[in-house]
Every structure is written in structure tokens, then in C-alpha cells.
Amino acid sequence: MSGAQASSPDVGGSVPRPHTPSPDAGTPGTLSPDELNALVQRQFPDYAACRVTDASGTHLLMEADGARLRTRPGGTISGPEQAGLVDLAAFLLINARLGRPTPMALTTSLQISYLNRPRPGLLRTHARMAKFGRRLCVVLAELRDEAGDLAASATVTYSVPPTTAGQGTG
């Protein structure tokens, strides 16, 4: 993301700051952005407009081409599309943390607040791990428009299937 701005990991209107890759990105036990993008291509072809740009066991940054997403009358990215973006980012963060594709990690709760009208253009989703448990994971996510304005804030809870013998949880 050369020259791009990324939000602070704090949810709630923090001032954008320059992005630097996380120190644990690509380390053993986490999936890299390339591995996560391949997972999206295989499992979620409807989200071809999305691309992970940074990932670690604690946070994930994802960009989406808003021009390829569904809009409501008036040119606003639809609410279901916004919810889908934060849900996908949470799913990918959990997979990155587990260090392996886990398609049966399932959304159990998604609470979203729509704060501003995002227009088609570059959208950025920042997800950070709030709690990583053996069975439940809680992710906080922010969706920002091209100008860096906060469009939506969400809390997403996932149920993670139990590991089988010989598999770690990262």
C-alpha cells in the first residue's frame, strides 16, 4: 500500500496514520496475505473485488474496489455489502491466526453500525482480534471509504471448530 493511509487499530474514529507492515506478518503459524487472497479466490468468488494487503495473528487490512460492489439508489454501497466486507475480513483474520484454512469457522454474531455513506471507490477494512478463544473469536472491524472516513464499525463473533489431534491453533 504505497502512500496509502491505514487507520489506527483503535476502533472509533482515530486519525489515520501511515501503514507499516506488522512485525509478525508472514511468520510461521500465520497465513500470509497471498495465502488469504488465494483462499478468497477458491472459496468466495463473489468477493473478487477484495484483496488482503496485510495480515498477522492480530490484525488484517483488506481493500475492496467499491465500484464492483452493489449500490443502493443514490450511489451508496449497500448495507449488506458493507456487512459482507467486515464479515469476510473477520473470517480471514481468524484463518490467518489459525495458520491454516478453516472453512468451517462460522459467524455466530455480527453487530454493525452504519455511520456514513460510502460511495463506490476504494474501501478499506481494518480488522483486529479482540479475543481469540478455543471455540469463540471476537473481531472488531472498521470500514473506511477512499477519503478515510469511517463508514461502518462492527463486532463479529465466530465459532471455530475444535482442532483435531496434531493441529495447533496458532
Side-chain angles (χ1 to χ4, degrees):
M1 276 178 28
S2 64
Q5 296 284 316
S7 69
S8 165
D10 297 325
V11 173
S14 299
V15 175
R17 65 179 175 167
H19 169 69
T20 54
S22 62
D24 56 346
T27 58
T30 62
L31 294 180
S32 71
D34 288 339
E35 291 170 311
L36 294 168
N37 289 325
L39 177 63
V40 171
Q41 288 176 340
R42 281 192 316 273
Q43 299 290 327
F44 304 102
D46 290 349
Y47 285 99
C50 299
R51 183 176 68 87
V52 175
T53 59
D54 189 30
S56 73
T58 59
H59 82 273
L60 178 131
L61 294 171
M62 183 178 77
E63 293 181 346
D65 178 1
R68 296 171 61 187
L69 302 175
R70 291 176 302 196
T71 58
R72 296 191 52 83
T76 300
I77 302 295
S78 74
E81 287 280 27
Q82 293 178 58
L85 292 173
V86 297
D87 188 43
L88 178 63
F91 174 82
L92 293 172
L93 174 57
I94 291 164
N95 278 261
R97 173 72 177 255
L98 291 170
R100 59 183 158 68
T102 308
M104 290 309 297
L106 303 173
T107 309
T108 60
S109 173
L110 191 152
Q111 298 169 316
I112 188 165
S113 295
Y114 301 104
L115 305 170
N116 287 300
R117 298 173 31 164
R119 303 273 183 192
L122 181 66
L123 300 172
R124 290 185 180 91
T125 305
H126 179 255
R128 69 177 174 96
M129 192 69 68
K131 178 185 184 337
F132 185 79
R134 281 188 268 200
R135 298 299 303 262
L136 291 178
C137 299
V138 178
V139 174
L140 305 177
E142 290 183 339
L143 176 65
R144 292 185 179 267
D145 66 12
E146 197 161 12
D149 294 331
L150 186 61
S153 177
T155 302
V156 188
T157 304
Y158 262 79
S159 173
V160 178
T163 58
T164 58
Q167 286 183 318
T169 58

